[in-house]
Amino acid sequence: RLFAAETPEAIAAIACEATREVLGLEVVVVRLAERGGDGLRVAAKTDPVDELMPERSRYGVGESISGAVYEEGSPRISLDLDEERFGEIDSTISLPLGDHGVMSVGSTAADAFDDGDVSLARLLSTTVTAALDRAERETQLRRREAVLESVQGMMFVLDEDRLIDYVST
């Protein structure tokens, strides 16, 4: 289902559902990078998030655990959170989703995650990242096809390095 989804929001929702079903963990938030990459917005979350945590719809890059994980590109496991800003959440696994965002899994118990939970969460985040990469490539291809269909005559496209990426005939 992850690879059939067409939008990042749909992929985020499926990732939350899969985390709940595969890992048996109920508190899941997927935050996606905003355009320009200066912040993370909530794209999907499970219902318990609203009940257990204070509302926080956006984090800046480098801000809080999610922002740091996004900025550094490295997972972070926190097993004894004792801060009011996390509400009733005492443990989290926060995983980067490449340049797309962060997936966070939480629990109300301290030291809630074992090595198996962490391994499965990492595997799932890798799969979600691949699905987000695919959706991004397909969106770019659809845009390019739409432009090419609307242009008559010969045209060329340059890539980021200013090399010819495509020439119409």
Side-chain angles (χ1 to χ4, degrees), residues 3 5 19 21 33 52 61 73 80 94 96 105 111 122 131 147-149 151 156:
F3 288 97
T19 303
E21 291 174 5
L52 299 172
V61 172
D80 191 16
S94 298
V105 179
D111 200 19
R122 285 183 182 203
V147 168
L148 292 175
E149 286 175 8
V151 174
F156 66 94

Side-chain angles (χ1 to χ4, degrees), residues 39-111:
L40 298 167
R41 62 177 174 76
V42 173
K45 60 186 174 180
T46 56
D47 291 336
V49 171
D50 291 329
E51 299 164 16
L52 299 172
M53 295 183 69
E55 177 67 27
R56 186 66 190 260
S57 60
R58 182 185 187 281
Y59 284 115
V61 172
E63 181 185 0
S64 193
I65 294 171
S66 293
V69 166
Y70 177 72
E71 184 176 52
E72 297 163 9
S74 300
R76 188 174 293 182
I77 296 136
S78 304
L79 299 176
D80 191 16
L81 297 170
D82 190 21
E83 296 179 41
E84 193 173 308
R85 65 187 170 130
F86 295 108
E88 296 179 45
I89 302 300
D90 284 329
S91 299
T92 62
I93 303 172
S94 298
L95 301 147
L97 301 174
D99 60 354
H100 304 286
V102 175
M103 181 172 75
S104 299
V105 179
S107 174
T108 56
D111 200 19

Side-chain angles (χ1 to χ4, degrees), residues 2 4 18 20 47 79 89 96 99 125 133 135 150 153-154 157 159 166:
L2 279 171
R20 191 177 65 241
D47 291 336
L79 299 176
I89 302 300
D99 60 354
S125 72
D133 288 344
S150 67
M154 191 159 197
V157 176
D159 66 11
Y166 177 83

Side-chain angles (χ1 to χ4, degrees), residues 12-30:
I14 293 166
C16 286
E17 184 180 321
T19 303
R20 191 177 65 241
E21 291 174 5
V22 173
L23 299 177
L25 301 169
E26 296 293 323
V27 183
V28 186
V29 178
V30 175

